[in-house]
Amino acid sequence: MVKSPAYVATGRCTEPMCELVHLALDKNAFGRDIGTQAHDGHDEYLQCLDTFLSLVFKRVLHVERYLECIYRLTKDYATESSCVNIIRNMSLDLMKEVKENTHQAQQQGVEETYGGKPALNFAHSLSSLAKHNPSLTEDHIKDHIDTMIMAGHDTTATTIANLLLMLAMHREVQEMVYQEVMSVCPDKSKPVTMEDANNLVYTEMVCKETMRLFPVAPVIGRKCAADVKLDDKHTIPAGCCVALGIYQIHRDPTIWGPEPGKFNPDHFLPERVAERHPYAYLPFSGGPRNCIGIRYAWLSLKIMIAHLVRNYRFKTPLVMEDLVLKFAIVLRITNGCLVSIEDRPYSSE
C-alpha cells in the first residue's frame, strides 16, 4: 500500500525525505536545524541559492562577462547581488547564534563532550579556532559557512535524491541493497553505525554508480601550476586555466564500455576498479584539491540509504530515457526525481 507519494525534486527538495537529509546535515554542521524548508522566507533562500549557482555557471560560459566592469552592467549582476545578500544573511544569523550559544555555555560553565572530548560542530569549531587565530576573520568564517551550506548540503541532498531514483528505477538493485542492509544491520530500532556502513560493500557500489552517471559537480576548473604534457603534440602551459568535464569522463565508452549510460553497479567490482586509471572516476575531484568532505559524504550517503531501504520500498514511473539534465555548478535532473514510497513490512528472515 502506498504510504504517500514523494516528489524529491533536485534543487528544491519539497518532501519530508529530503528535509530529513537537510536536518541531519544541519545538526552535524551547525548544531541545529536551519529549517531551510520550514517557511516562505527560507524557501526564498533555497531559490536564491539555486539562482546564484546558475548565474555563476552562466558567467563561466560567456567570456564577455569575465571583466567585472562589463558584468556589472548586466541584469544578471543585479540579480546575483540580491541573491548573495540573502545567502549572506543566513550566514550572519548562524554566526550570531553560534556566538550567543558559545558565550552562554561559557557563562554556565557547560562543555558538552563526547568520548572525553569537546563535542564541537563545524560552526563552533570555526568560532573556537578564530579565538586563537587572529588571521581568521569574520569574513573568512562567513565564507566557510556559505561553503558548507552550498557545497555540503545541496550536493548531498541532490545525490541522495538521485540515488533513490536509481533504486526506484532498478528494482533488482534495490532488492540487493535491501538484502545487504538486512544482513548487516537488520534491527530497524537501532541506528546504522559507522562500522555497519563500512560493511555495506554493494550499497557503496550503487552509490558510486549513481555518482558516475550524475556527478553532482559535472565540471570543475583548475589552474596549471606548471606545464602539463598531455602527449608529444599537446602541452598545457603553466598559468593556464582549464575546465575538466567530469560528466564526459564518467560516460566515456573507452573507459566504461559500449553502454556507458547504463546503470550498472558492477562497474565498481574490485577487479574492474583495478583495471581503470584512478582518475577515471572523479565524483569528488582528485589529488590535493579534492573535496575535503569526501569521507563524510560517503558515510552519510550509506547511512541514509540503509535507514531508508530497510523501512521503505521505492517506485517510479520514470525510466533513464525520460531524464533531462541541466548543467550548472550542481548537476540537476530538471524533470525531478519522482518517487513513490511504500512501507516495507518487517520480516524476521
Short mmCIF file of all heavy atoms in Angstrom, two decimals, residues 60-124:
data_model
loop_
_atom_site.label_atom_id
_atom_site.label_comp_id
_atom_site.label_asym_id
_atom_site.label_seq_id
_atom_site.Cartn_x
_atom_site.Cartn_y
_atom_site.Cartn_z
N VAL A 60 30.57 31.72 -16.41
CA VAL A 60 31.72 30.92 -16.83
C VAL A 60 31.67 30.65 -18.33
O VAL A 60 32.71 30.62 -19.01
CB VAL A 60 31.76 29.59 -16.05
CG1 VAL A 60 32.79 28.62 -16.66
CG2 VAL A 60 32.11 29.84 -14.59
N LEU A 61 30.46 30.48 -18.86
CA LEU A 61 30.30 30.11 -20.27
C LEU A 61 30.33 31.32 -21.21
O LEU A 61 30.32 31.14 -22.43
CB LEU A 61 28.99 29.35 -20.46
CG LEU A 61 28.87 28.02 -19.71
CD1 LEU A 61 27.50 27.40 -19.97
CD2 LEU A 61 29.97 27.06 -20.10
N HIS A 62 30.35 32.54 -20.66
CA HIS A 62 30.32 33.74 -21.50
C HIS A 62 31.57 34.58 -21.23
O HIS A 62 31.63 35.31 -20.22
CB HIS A 62 29.06 34.57 -21.24
CG HIS A 62 27.80 33.89 -21.71
ND1 HIS A 62 27.18 32.89 -20.97
CD2 HIS A 62 27.06 34.05 -22.84
CE1 HIS A 62 26.10 32.48 -21.63
NE2 HIS A 62 26.00 33.16 -22.76
N VAL A 63 32.52 34.49 -22.13
CA VAL A 63 33.80 35.18 -21.94
C VAL A 63 33.62 36.68 -21.80
O VAL A 63 34.35 37.34 -21.04
CB VAL A 63 34.75 34.86 -23.12
CG1 VAL A 63 36.08 35.59 -22.94
CG2 VAL A 63 34.98 33.36 -23.24
N GLU A 64 32.65 37.25 -22.49
CA GLU A 64 32.47 38.70 -22.45
C GLU A 64 32.03 39.18 -21.06
O GLU A 64 32.09 40.38 -20.78
CB GLU A 64 31.43 39.14 -23.50
CG GLU A 64 29.98 38.77 -23.18
CD GLU A 64 29.62 37.34 -23.58
OE1 GLU A 64 30.53 36.59 -23.99
OE2 GLU A 64 28.44 36.98 -23.48
N ARG A 65 31.64 38.27 -20.19
CA ARG A 65 31.22 38.65 -18.84
C ARG A 65 32.35 38.50 -17.81
O ARG A 65 32.12 38.73 -16.62
CB ARG A 65 30.01 37.81 -18.41
CG ARG A 65 28.75 38.09 -19.21
CD ARG A 65 27.64 37.14 -18.84
NE ARG A 65 26.42 37.50 -19.55
CZ ARG A 65 25.24 37.74 -18.94
NH1 ARG A 65 25.16 37.68 -17.64
NH2 ARG A 65 24.19 38.05 -19.65
N TYR A 66 33.51 38.08 -18.25
CA TYR A 66 34.60 37.85 -17.31
C TYR A 66 35.06 39.15 -16.64
O TYR A 66 35.38 39.16 -15.46
CB TYR A 66 35.78 37.18 -18.00
CG TYR A 66 35.59 35.69 -18.29
CD1 TYR A 66 34.34 35.09 -18.15
CD2 TYR A 66 36.65 34.91 -18.69
CE1 TYR A 66 34.16 33.75 -18.41
CE2 TYR A 66 36.49 33.54 -18.95
CZ TYR A 66 35.23 32.97 -18.82
OH TYR A 66 35.07 31.63 -19.09
N LEU A 67 35.12 40.23 -17.41
CA LEU A 67 35.55 41.50 -16.84
C LEU A 67 34.47 42.05 -15.91
O LEU A 67 33.30 42.19 -16.30
CB LEU A 67 35.84 42.52 -17.95
CG LEU A 67 37.06 42.22 -18.83
CD1 LEU A 67 37.17 43.25 -19.94
CD2 LEU A 67 38.33 42.20 -18.00
N GLU A 68 34.86 42.37 -14.68
CA GLU A 68 33.89 42.83 -13.69
C GLU A 68 33.18 44.09 -14.13
O GLU A 68 31.97 44.26 -13.91
CB GLU A 68 34.61 43.07 -12.36
CG GLU A 68 33.69 43.36 -11.19
CD GLU A 68 32.90 42.14 -10.72
OE1 GLU A 68 33.27 41.01 -11.10
OE2 GLU A 68 31.92 42.34 -9.98
N CYS A 69 33.90 45.01 -14.76
CA CYS A 69 33.30 46.28 -15.17
C CYS A 69 32.18 46.07 -16.20
O CYS A 69 31.22 46.84 -16.25
CB CYS A 69 34.37 47.22 -15.72
SG CYS A 69 35.28 46.59 -17.13
N ILE A 70 32.31 45.05 -17.04
CA ILE A 70 31.27 44.75 -18.03
C ILE A 70 30.12 43.99 -17.38
O ILE A 70 28.94 44.28 -17.62
CB ILE A 70 31.87 43.94 -19.20
CG1 ILE A 70 32.88 44.80 -19.96
CG2 ILE A 70 30.76 43.44 -20.13
CD1 ILE A 70 33.55 44.08 -21.11
N TYR A 71 30.47 43.01 -16.52
CA TYR A 71 29.43 42.19 -15.89
C TYR A 71 28.50 43.04 -15.01
O TYR A 71 27.30 42.77 -14.92
CB TYR A 71 30.08 41.09 -15.05
CG TYR A 71 29.10 40.11 -14.46
CD1 TYR A 71 28.19 39.43 -15.26
CD2 TYR A 71 29.07 39.88 -13.08
CE1 TYR A 71 27.28 38.53 -14.73
CE2 TYR A 71 28.17 38.97 -12.53
CZ TYR A 71 27.27 38.31 -13.36
OH TYR A 71 26.38 37.42 -12.81
N ARG A 72 29.04 44.10 -14.42
CA ARG A 72 28.23 44.96 -13.56
C ARG A 72 27.13 45.70 -14.34
O ARG A 72 26.17 46.20 -13.75
CB ARG A 72 29.12 45.98 -12.85
CG ARG A 72 29.93 45.40 -11.70
CD ARG A 72 30.86 46.44 -11.11
NE ARG A 72 31.58 45.92 -9.97
CZ ARG A 72 31.18 46.00 -8.70
NH1 ARG A 72 30.03 46.62 -8.43
NH2 ARG A 72 31.88 45.51 -7.71
N LEU A 73 27.25 45.76 -15.64
CA LEU A 73 26.26 46.44 -16.47
C LEU A 73 25.07 45.54 -16.83
O LEU A 73 24.09 46.02 -17.40
CB LEU A 73 26.92 46.95 -17.76
CG LEU A 73 28.08 47.94 -17.59
CD1 LEU A 73 28.69 48.27 -18.95
CD2 LEU A 73 27.61 49.21 -16.88
N THR A 74 25.15 44.27 -16.49
CA THR A 74 24.10 43.33 -16.87
C THR A 74 23.03 43.19 -15.79
O THR A 74 23.28 43.47 -14.61
CB THR A 74 24.69 41.93 -17.15
OG1 THR A 74 25.20 41.38 -15.92
CG2 THR A 74 25.82 42.01 -18.17
N LYS A 75 21.85 42.74 -16.20
CA LYS A 75 20.77 42.48 -15.25
C LYS A 75 21.13 41.32 -14.33
O LYS A 75 20.72 41.29 -13.16
CB LYS A 75 19.47 42.19 -15.99
CG LYS A 75 18.89 43.39 -16.72
CD LYS A 75 17.57 43.02 -17.39
CE LYS A 75 16.95 44.22 -18.12
NZ LYS A 75 15.68 43.86 -18.79
N ASP A 76 21.90 40.36 -14.87
CA ASP A 76 22.29 39.20 -14.07
C ASP A 76 23.11 39.61 -12.85
O ASP A 76 23.02 38.99 -11.79
CB ASP A 76 23.09 38.21 -14.91
CG ASP A 76 22.20 37.41 -15.85
OD1 ASP A 76 20.97 37.47 -15.69
OD2 ASP A 76 22.73 36.72 -16.74
N TYR A 77 23.91 40.65 -12.99
CA TYR A 77 24.74 41.11 -11.87
C TYR A 77 23.84 41.59 -10.73
O TYR A 77 24.08 41.28 -9.55
CB TYR A 77 25.68 42.23 -12.31
CG TYR A 77 26.45 42.82 -11.15
CD1 TYR A 77 27.56 42.17 -10.62
CD2 TYR A 77 26.03 44.03 -10.58
CE1 TYR A 77 28.26 42.72 -9.55
CE2 TYR A 77 26.72 44.58 -9.50
CZ TYR A 77 27.83 43.92 -8.99
OH TYR A 77 28.50 44.44 -7.91
N ALA A 78 22.81 42.34 -11.07
CA ALA A 78 21.88 42.83 -10.04
C ALA A 78 21.17 41.67 -9.36
O ALA A 78 21.01 41.65 -8.13
CB ALA A 78 20.87 43.78 -10.67
N THR A 79 20.74 40.69 -10.15
CA THR A 79 20.08 39.51 -9.59
C THR A 79 21.02 38.73 -8.69
O THR A 79 20.66 38.32 -7.58
CB THR A 79 19.58 38.59 -10.72
OG1 THR A 79 18.70 39.32 -11.56
CG2 THR A 79 18.85 37.38 -10.15
N GLU A 80 22.26 38.55 -9.16
CA GLU A 80 23.25 37.81 -8.38
C GLU A 80 23.54 38.52 -7.06
O GLU A 80 23.64 37.88 -6.00
CB GLU A 80 24.53 37.66 -9.18
CG GLU A 80 25.63 36.89 -8.47
CD GLU A 80 26.89 36.81 -9.28
OE1 GLU A 80 26.82 36.43 -10.47
OE2 GLU A 80 27.98 37.12 -8.73
N SER A 81 23.68 39.84 -7.11
CA SER A 81 23.96 40.61 -5.89
C SER A 81 22.84 40.47 -4.88
O SER A 81 23.08 40.34 -3.66
CB SER A 81 24.16 42.09 -6.25
OG SER A 81 25.27 42.25 -7.11
N SER A 82 21.60 40.49 -5.35
CA SER A 82 20.46 40.31 -4.46
C SER A 82 20.47 38.92 -3.81
O SER A 82 20.22 38.78 -2.61
CB SER A 82 19.16 40.52 -5.25
OG SER A 82 18.04 40.27 -4.44
N CYS A 83 20.79 37.93 -4.62
CA CYS A 83 20.86 36.55 -4.10
C CYS A 83 21.97 36.41 -3.06
O CYS A 83 21.78 35.76 -2.02
CB CYS A 83 21.09 35.56 -5.24
SG CYS A 83 19.68 35.36 -6.35
N VAL A 84 23.11 37.02 -3.34
CA VAL A 84 24.25 36.94 -2.41
C VAL A 84 23.88 37.56 -1.07
O VAL A 84 24.23 37.03 -0.01
CB VAL A 84 25.49 37.63 -3.02
CG1 VAL A 84 26.57 37.82 -1.95
CG2 VAL A 84 26.04 36.82 -4.17
N ASN A 85 23.15 38.67 -1.09
CA ASN A 85 22.75 39.32 0.15
C ASN A 85 21.87 38.41 1.00
O ASN A 85 22.03 38.33 2.23
CB ASN A 85 22.01 40.62 -0.15
CG ASN A 85 22.93 41.70 -0.66
OD1 ASN A 85 24.13 41.69 -0.38
ND2 ASN A 85 22.39 42.64 -1.43
N ILE A 86 20.94 37.71 0.36
CA ILE A 86 20.04 36.81 1.09
C ILE A 86 20.82 35.62 1.63
O ILE A 86 20.62 35.18 2.77
CB ILE A 86 18.90 36.35 0.17
CG1 ILE A 86 17.99 37.54 -0.16
CG2 ILE A 86 18.10 35.22 0.81
CD1 ILE A 86 16.92 37.26 -1.18
N ILE A 87 21.74 35.08 0.82
CA ILE A 87 22.56 33.96 1.26
C ILE A 87 23.44 34.37 2.44
O ILE A 87 23.58 33.64 3.43
CB ILE A 87 23.43 33.44 0.10
CG1 ILE A 87 22.55 32.82 -0.98
CG2 ILE A 87 24.46 32.42 0.59
CD1 ILE A 87 23.28 32.50 -2.28
N ARG A 88 24.03 35.56 2.35
CA ARG A 88 24.90 36.05 3.41
C ARG A 88 24.13 36.29 4.71
O ARG A 88 24.66 36.12 5.81
CB ARG A 88 25.59 37.33 2.98
CG ARG A 88 26.85 37.12 2.15
CD ARG A 88 27.87 36.33 2.95
NE ARG A 88 29.03 35.98 2.19
CZ ARG A 88 30.25 36.43 2.46
NH1 ARG A 88 30.45 37.25 3.46
NH2 ARG A 88 31.27 36.02 1.74
N ASN A 89 22.87 36.69 4.62
CA ASN A 89 22.07 36.90 5.82
C ASN A 89 21.92 35.61 6.61
O ASN A 89 21.89 35.63 7.85
CB ASN A 89 20.70 37.47 5.46
CG ASN A 89 20.75 38.94 5.08
OD1 ASN A 89 21.67 39.65 5.48
ND2 ASN A 89 19.78 39.40 4.31
N MET A 90 21.81 34.48 5.90
CA MET A 90 21.74 33.18 6.58
C MET A 90 23.03 32.94 7.36
O MET A 90 23.02 32.50 8.52
CB MET A 90 21.53 32.06 5.56
CG MET A 90 21.60 30.66 6.15
SD MET A 90 20.19 30.23 7.18
CE MET A 90 18.98 29.86 5.91
N SER A 91 24.17 33.25 6.75
CA SER A 91 25.46 33.07 7.42
C SER A 91 25.57 33.97 8.64
O SER A 91 26.06 33.55 9.69
CB SER A 91 26.60 33.37 6.44
OG SER A 91 26.54 32.55 5.30
N LEU A 92 25.13 35.23 8.49
CA LEU A 92 25.20 36.17 9.60
C LEU A 92 24.33 35.71 10.78
O LEU A 92 24.73 35.83 11.94
CB LEU A 92 24.76 37.56 9.13
CG LEU A 92 25.71 38.26 8.15
CD1 LEU A 92 25.06 39.53 7.60
CD2 LEU A 92 27.04 38.59 8.82
N ASP A 93 23.13 35.19 10.47
CA ASP A 93 22.26 34.67 11.53
C ASP A 93 22.92 33.51 12.25
O ASP A 93 22.85 33.40 13.49
CB ASP A 93 20.92 34.23 10.93
CG ASP A 93 20.07 35.40 10.48
OD1 ASP A 93 20.36 36.54 10.90
OD2 ASP A 93 19.12 35.18 9.70
N LEU A 94 23.56 32.61 11.49
CA LEU A 94 24.24 31.47 12.10
C LEU A 94 25.40 31.92 12.98
O LEU A 94 25.59 31.43 14.09
CB LEU A 94 24.74 30.52 11.01
CG LEU A 94 23.71 29.57 10.40
CD1 LEU A 94 24.31 28.87 9.18
CD2 LEU A 94 23.24 28.55 11.42
N MET A 95 26.18 32.86 12.47
CA MET A 95 27.32 33.36 13.25
C MET A 95 26.85 34.00 14.56
O MET A 95 27.46 33.79 15.61
CB MET A 95 28.11 34.38 12.42
CG MET A 95 28.94 33.78 11.31
SD MET A 95 29.87 35.05 10.42
CE MET A 95 30.90 35.70 11.73
N LYS A 96 25.79 34.77 14.49
CA LYS A 96 25.26 35.42 15.68
C LYS A 96 24.81 34.38 16.71
O LYS A 96 25.11 34.50 17.90
CB LYS A 96 24.08 36.32 15.30
CG LYS A 96 23.46 37.06 16.48
CD LYS A 96 22.31 37.94 16.03
CE LYS A 96 21.67 38.65 17.20
NZ LYS A 96 20.51 39.50 16.78
N GLU A 97 24.14 33.33 16.23
CA GLU A 97 23.65 32.31 17.14
C GLU A 97 24.80 31.51 17.75
O GLU A 97 24.78 31.16 18.93
CB GLU A 97 22.69 31.36 16.42
CG GLU A 97 22.10 30.31 17.33
CD GLU A 97 20.96 29.55 16.68
OE1 GLU A 97 20.24 30.15 15.86
OE2 GLU A 97 20.80 28.36 16.99
N VAL A 98 25.82 31.22 16.94
CA VAL A 98 26.98 30.49 17.46
C VAL A 98 27.66 31.28 18.57
O VAL A 98 28.02 30.74 19.62
CB VAL A 98 27.99 30.19 16.32
CG1 VAL A 98 29.33 29.72 16.89
CG2 VAL A 98 27.42 29.13 15.39
N LYS A 99 27.84 32.59 18.35
CA LYS A 99 28.47 33.43 19.36
C LYS A 99 27.65 33.46 20.65
O LYS A 99 28.19 33.37 21.76
CB LYS A 99 28.64 34.85 18.82
CG LYS A 99 29.73 34.99 17.77
CD LYS A 99 29.87 36.44 17.32
CE LYS A 99 30.96 36.61 16.30
NZ LYS A 99 31.10 38.01 15.85
N GLU A 100 26.32 33.61 20.50
CA GLU A 100 25.46 33.67 21.68
C GLU A 100 25.49 32.35 22.46
O GLU A 100 25.59 32.35 23.68
CB GLU A 100 24.03 34.00 21.26
CG GLU A 100 23.85 35.42 20.73
CD GLU A 100 22.45 35.68 20.22
OE1 GLU A 100 21.67 34.70 20.10
OE2 GLU A 100 22.14 36.85 19.92
N ASN A 101 25.43 31.22 21.73
CA ASN A 101 25.45 29.92 22.39
C ASN A 101 26.78 29.66 23.08
O ASN A 101 26.84 29.11 24.18
CB ASN A 101 25.16 28.81 21.38
CG ASN A 101 23.73 28.83 20.88
OD1 ASN A 101 22.86 29.46 21.49
ND2 ASN A 101 23.47 28.15 19.77
N THR A 102 27.88 30.06 22.40
CA THR A 102 29.20 29.86 22.98
C THR A 102 29.36 30.69 24.24
O THR A 102 29.87 30.22 25.27
CB THR A 102 30.30 30.24 21.97
OG1 THR A 102 30.14 29.44 20.79
CG2 THR A 102 31.69 30.00 22.54
N HIS A 103 28.92 31.95 24.19
CA HIS A 103 29.02 32.84 25.35
C HIS A 103 28.18 32.32 26.51
O HIS A 103 28.61 32.32 27.67
CB HIS A 103 28.57 34.24 24.95
CG HIS A 103 28.64 35.23 26.08
ND1 HIS A 103 29.82 35.65 26.65
CD2 HIS A 103 27.63 35.88 26.76
CE1 HIS A 103 29.57 36.51 27.62
NE2 HIS A 103 28.26 36.67 27.70
N GLN A 104 26.98 31.85 26.19
CA GLN A 104 26.08 31.33 27.23
C GLN A 104 26.68 30.09 27.87
O GLN A 104 26.62 29.92 29.10
CB GLN A 104 24.71 31.02 26.62
CG GLN A 104 23.67 30.56 27.64
CD GLN A 104 22.33 30.30 26.99
OE1 GLN A 104 22.20 30.33 25.78
NE2 GLN A 104 21.32 30.06 27.80
N ALA A 105 27.25 29.20 27.06
CA ALA A 105 27.85 27.98 27.59
C ALA A 105 29.03 28.29 28.49
O ALA A 105 29.23 27.66 29.53
CB ALA A 105 28.30 27.08 26.44
N GLN A 106 29.83 29.31 28.12
CA GLN A 106 30.98 29.70 28.93
C GLN A 106 30.52 30.27 30.27
O GLN A 106 31.13 30.01 31.32
CB GLN A 106 31.82 30.72 28.18
CG GLN A 106 32.58 30.13 26.99
CD GLN A 106 33.30 31.21 26.19
OE1 GLN A 106 33.01 32.40 26.32
NE2 GLN A 106 34.23 30.79 25.34
N GLN A 107 29.45 31.08 30.26
CA GLN A 107 28.95 31.66 31.49
C GLN A 107 28.43 30.59 32.45
O GLN A 107 28.59 30.69 33.66
CB GLN A 107 27.83 32.66 31.18
CG GLN A 107 28.33 33.99 30.60
CD GLN A 107 27.21 34.98 30.44
OE1 GLN A 107 26.07 34.60 30.15
NE2 GLN A 107 27.51 36.26 30.65
N GLN A 108 27.81 29.56 31.87
CA GLN A 108 27.23 28.50 32.68
C GLN A 108 28.25 27.41 33.02
O GLN A 108 27.96 26.49 33.78
CB GLN A 108 26.03 27.87 31.96
CG GLN A 108 24.90 28.87 31.74
CD GLN A 108 23.77 28.27 30.92
OE1 GLN A 108 23.88 27.16 30.40
NE2 GLN A 108 22.66 28.99 30.81
N GLY A 109 29.43 27.51 32.40
CA GLY A 109 30.46 26.50 32.65
C GLY A 109 30.10 25.15 32.09
O GLY A 109 30.51 24.11 32.61
N VAL A 110 29.32 25.14 31.01
CA VAL A 110 28.87 23.89 30.40
C VAL A 110 29.74 23.56 29.20
O VAL A 110 29.98 24.41 28.36
CB VAL A 110 27.40 23.99 29.94
CG1 VAL A 110 26.97 22.71 29.24
CG2 VAL A 110 26.50 24.27 31.14
N GLU A 111 30.23 22.33 29.14
CA GLU A 111 31.00 21.87 27.99
C GLU A 111 30.51 20.48 27.60
O GLU A 111 30.75 19.51 28.30
CB GLU A 111 32.50 21.83 28.31
CG GLU A 111 33.33 21.42 27.11
CD GLU A 111 34.82 21.42 27.42
OE1 GLU A 111 35.22 20.85 28.45
OE2 GLU A 111 35.58 21.97 26.60
N GLU A 112 29.78 20.43 26.52
CA GLU A 112 29.26 19.16 26.03
C GLU A 112 30.42 18.32 25.51
O GLU A 112 31.29 18.81 24.78
CB GLU A 112 28.26 19.40 24.90
CG GLU A 112 27.58 18.12 24.42
CD GLU A 112 26.62 18.40 23.28
OE1 GLU A 112 26.48 19.57 22.89
OE2 GLU A 112 26.03 17.43 22.78
N THR A 113 30.47 17.07 25.91
CA THR A 113 31.58 16.21 25.50
C THR A 113 31.09 14.93 24.87
O THR A 113 29.95 14.50 25.07
CB THR A 113 32.48 15.85 26.69
OG1 THR A 113 31.71 15.12 27.66
CG2 THR A 113 33.04 17.11 27.34
N TYR A 114 31.98 14.32 24.10
CA TYR A 114 31.70 13.01 23.50
C TYR A 114 33.00 12.23 23.52
O TYR A 114 33.99 12.65 22.93
CB TYR A 114 31.20 13.16 22.06
CG TYR A 114 30.96 11.83 21.37
CD1 TYR A 114 29.82 11.09 21.64
CD2 TYR A 114 31.90 11.31 20.49
CE1 TYR A 114 29.60 9.88 21.03
CE2 TYR A 114 31.69 10.08 19.87
CZ TYR A 114 30.53 9.38 20.15
OH TYR A 114 30.33 8.17 19.55
N GLY A 115 33.03 11.11 24.26
CA GLY A 115 34.24 10.33 24.36
C GLY A 115 35.36 11.06 25.07
O GLY A 115 36.55 10.87 24.79
N GLY A 116 35.00 11.98 26.00
CA GLY A 116 36.01 12.71 26.74
C GLY A 116 36.52 13.95 26.03
O GLY A 116 37.34 14.69 26.56
N LYS A 117 36.05 14.22 24.82
CA LYS A 117 36.50 15.38 24.06
C LYS A 117 35.33 16.33 23.81
O LYS A 117 34.18 15.89 23.74
CB LYS A 117 37.10 14.94 22.71
CG LYS A 117 38.34 14.09 22.85
CD LYS A 117 38.90 13.73 21.47
CE LYS A 117 40.15 12.87 21.60
NZ LYS A 117 40.71 12.51 20.27
N PRO A 118 35.60 17.60 23.70
CA PRO A 118 34.51 18.56 23.42
C PRO A 118 33.77 18.19 22.15
O PRO A 118 34.39 17.87 21.13
CB PRO A 118 35.25 19.89 23.26
CG PRO A 118 36.53 19.72 23.99
CD PRO A 118 36.90 18.26 23.83
N ALA A 119 32.44 18.21 22.19
CA ALA A 119 31.62 17.87 21.02
C ALA A 119 31.31 19.14 20.25
O ALA A 119 30.30 19.80 20.49
CB ALA A 119 30.33 17.18 21.46
N LEU A 120 32.22 19.52 19.35
CA LEU A 120 32.06 20.74 18.58
C LEU A 120 31.55 20.42 17.18
O LEU A 120 32.09 19.54 16.52
CB LEU A 120 33.39 21.48 18.46
CG LEU A 120 34.03 21.97 19.77
CD1 LEU A 120 35.39 22.58 19.48
CD2 LEU A 120 33.13 22.97 20.47
N ASN A 121 30.52 21.13 16.74
CA ASN A 121 30.12 21.00 15.35
C ASN A 121 30.98 21.93 14.51
O ASN A 121 31.87 22.62 15.03
CB ASN A 121 28.62 21.30 15.18
CG ASN A 121 28.25 22.68 15.72
OD1 ASN A 121 28.82 23.68 15.29
ND2 ASN A 121 27.31 22.72 16.65
N PHE A 122 30.73 21.96 13.22
CA PHE A 122 31.57 22.72 12.30
C PHE A 122 31.59 24.22 12.65
O PHE A 122 32.66 24.84 12.73
CB PHE A 122 31.07 22.52 10.87
CG PHE A 122 31.80 23.33 9.83
CD1 PHE A 122 33.04 22.93 9.37
CD2 PHE A 122 31.23 24.48 9.32
CE1 PHE A 122 33.72 23.67 8.42
CE2 PHE A 122 31.90 25.23 8.36
CZ PHE A 122 33.16 24.82 7.92
N ALA A 123 30.44 24.78 12.87
CA ALA A 123 30.35 26.22 13.15
C ALA A 123 31.05 26.58 14.45
O ALA A 123 31.78 27.57 14.53
CB ALA A 123 28.88 26.66 13.20
N HIS A 124 30.87 25.77 15.51
CA HIS A 124 31.52 26.06 16.78
C HIS A 124 33.03 25.85 16.68
O HIS A 124 33.80 26.55 17.35
CB HIS A 124 30.93 25.17 17.88
CG HIS A 124 29.59 25.63 18.35
ND1 HIS A 124 28.42 25.16 17.79
CD2 HIS A 124 29.22 26.53 19.31
CE1 HIS A 124 27.39 25.73 18.40
NE2 HIS A 124 27.85 26.57 19.31
#
